[in-house]
Amino acid sequence: NAGVTQTPKFQVLKTGQSMTLQCAQDMNHEYMSWYRQDPGMGLRLIHYSVGAGITDQGEVPNGYNVSRSTTEDFPLRLLSAAPSQTSVYFCASSYRFLTSGYSYNEQFFGPGTRLTVL
Amino acid sequence: DAKTTQPPSMDCAEGRAANLPCNHSTISGNEYVYWYRQIHSQGPQYIIHGLKNNETNEMASLIITEDRKSSTLILPHATLRDTAVYYCIVHAGNMLTFGGGTRLMVKP
């Protein structure tokens, strides 16, 4: 298994440009999510999906769009890039386990995309 | 989700046990305690999780107090490769909220 893959590894954009960060997983995971990590900070959730055709907003969704047409892919679209979106973007996927009424998961993270917006 | 409190940094001698504490005094009954780590600028890596009982796997042990208000991650024999930021997260759903974590420095 390749696990969670992200492309590109690095990207430089000019303010106002749009682009799509790609994320794919080959583990048949239901859940996928996008996080951003600013320098010296923890990760913050942007958007997530609990299955194909279902997405929801996380902590910092403004300026980003997502869609989930297949189980494997979860692209993140920057509509009009701004310098404040300079960050490292991580994609993650997981199963959802249910036991005795409790749910938990183990998230697998991709290697990240380092985005700079000038 | 319950918030967690971790020391910002810790040092550990190579070969010794690293004990990383986490306070989560507002944890709810159905919230799990998760530990992840992030080595340098790589994607976070899952370590272990638990609900009520202590847990052990090939990477670490997780000790949860009886009242579930705090926990300790134990790396039994720390190596230089364990130098990383360790995140303690409590959550009941599917998506994680990361705090600042503890930066563990393993020294020779």
Side-chain angles (χ1 to χ4, degrees):
Chain A
N1 286 351
V4 179
T5 58
Q6 292 184 238
T7 56
K9 286 187 170 56
F10 300 93
Q11 183 69 50
V12 178
L13 292 177
K14 294 181 179 178
T15 296
Q17 287 184 314
S18 62
M19 78 159 296
T20 299
L21 307 185
Q22 301 292 343
C23 174
Q25 52 93 8
D26 61 357
M27 298 173 281
N28 202 31
H29 285 169
E30 305 160 274
Y31 298 113
M32 296 188 73
S33 53
W34 277 101
Y35 296 84
R36 62 176 286 175
Q37 185 173 34
D38 299 332
M41 308 286 287
L43 281 74
R44 291 184 293 170
L45 181 65
I46 304 172
H47 284 286
Y48 66 96
S49 168
V50 299
I54 306 170
T55 64
D56 207 346
Q57 296 181 350
E59 184 184 357
V60 288
N62 292 339
Y64 308 94
N65 273 358
V66 292
S67 60
R68 184 103 178 265
S69 56
T70 67
T71 299
E72 295 78 17
D73 301 299
F74 191 44
L76 178 72
R77 282 182 287 278
L78 279 70
L79 307 173
S80 177
S84 61
Q85 294 179 302
T86 294
S87 191
V88 181
Y89 291 83
F90 291 102
C91 179
S93 73
S94 66
Y95 283 122
R96 179 186 185 190
F97 297 96
L98 285 169
T99 178
S100 303
Y102 298 104
S103 69
Y104 65 91
N105 60 29
E106 170 192 341
Q107 295 214 14
F108 293 83
F109 283 82
T113 293
R114 283 144 185 82
L115 176 68
T116 300
V117 182
L118 303 175
Chain B
D1 294 339
K3 293 188 183 222
T4 61
T5 303
Q6 299 178 253
S9 64
M10 293 181 63
D11 290 343
C12 177
E14 188 178 19
R16 303 296 296 270
N19 297 288
L20 290 87
C22 180
N23 286 323
H24 32 79
S25 59
T26 59
I27 191 170
S28 300
N30 62 343
E31 287 183 313
Y32 279 81
V33 179
Y34 296 87
W35 283 84
Y36 282 76
R37 73 180 182 183
Q38 188 173 25
I39 296 173
H40 193 43
S41 55
Q42 299 175 21
Q45 176 189 24
Y46 165 85
I47 301 172
I48 198 167
H49 74 277
L51 184 64
K52 300 175 185 176
N53 302 319
N54 299 337
E55 303 288 344
T56 295
N57 63 22
E58 63 278 4
M59 290 182 66
S61 295
L62 174 59
I63 308 298
I64 303 174
T65 59
E66 190 170 347
D67 62 8
R68 302 208 326 124
K69 293 185 177 182
S70 66
S71 61
T72 301
L73 178 75
I74 300 173
L75 307 178
H77 305 288
T79 71
L80 298 179
R81 286 192 299 272
D82 292 321
T83 291
V85 177
Y86 287 77
Y87 295 99
C88 169
I89 301 163
V90 292
H91 198 75
N94 307 306
M95 297 302 126
L96 305 173
T97 300
F98 287 79
T102 295
R103 184 172 298 276
L104 176 68
M105 181 72 72
V106 180
K107 298 184 175 180

